[in-house]
Amino acid sequence: QVQLVESGGGLVQSGGSLRLSCAASGSIFSINAMGWYRQAPGRQRELVAGLTSGGSTNYADSVKGRFTISRDNAKNTLYLQMNSLKPEDTALYSCNADLTEGMDYWGKGTLVTVSS
């Protein structure tokens, strides 16, 4: 199995920055792709940023130019650097891992609140 634990969320002012981390453990060598999702109350969960094992990235249009997804393989950690935060970014951010055998795992999430 794969276990994912997010951290780094918190309360920031509009225009501020946060760096989210997702620590992976377990069968990490089976991970094909990882991504950050977010869900705000009353809204559908959306993919914020994705990263494949080959290094390809994709971002939601709403965060392009502001957020950067990266990974540190030595630390088995996925990151999401969030700059120029807006109140609209307020959500529960969750880490997802897609395994080569067709299974996927989720962390419990970390809350990001951006005040205006």
Side-chain angles (χ1 to χ4, degrees), residues 27-33 53 97-105:
S27 301
I28 58 175
F29 298 108
S30 297
I31 297 176
N32 182 56
S53 59
D98 178 37
L99 273 59
T100 56
E101 54 260 40
M103 302 179 67
D104 68 324
Y105 294 86

Side-chain angles (χ1 to χ4, degrees), residues 28-51:
I28 58 175
F29 298 108
S30 297
I31 297 176
N32 182 56
M34 299 186 72
W36 287 98
Y37 291 74
R38 69 184 182 187
Q39 186 169 28
R43 307 218 300 259
Q44 188 175 358
R45 184 173 62 190
E46 65 174 340
L47 174 66
V48 178
L51 178 65

Side-chain angles (χ1 to χ4, degrees), residues 7 19-23 34-36 49 51 59 68-73 75-82 95:
S7 61
R19 188 194 195 194
L20 305 184
S21 298
C22 174
M34 299 186 72
W36 287 98
L51 178 65
Y59 297 91
T68 303
I69 188 171
S70 62
R71 65 188 174 206
D72 187 332
N73 291 330
K75 297 180 179 180
N76 299 322
T77 301
L78 183 75
Y79 300 100
L80 184 67
Q81 179 66 46
M82 305 185 295
C95 179

Side-chain angles (χ1 to χ4, degrees), residues 92-115:
L92 181 70
Y93 285 72
S94 300
C95 179
N96 170 263
D98 178 37
L99 273 59
T100 56
E101 54 260 40
M103 302 179 67
D104 68 324
Y105 294 86
W106 293 87
K108 293 184 177 181
T110 184
L111 183 63
V112 172
T113 303
V114 184
S115 64

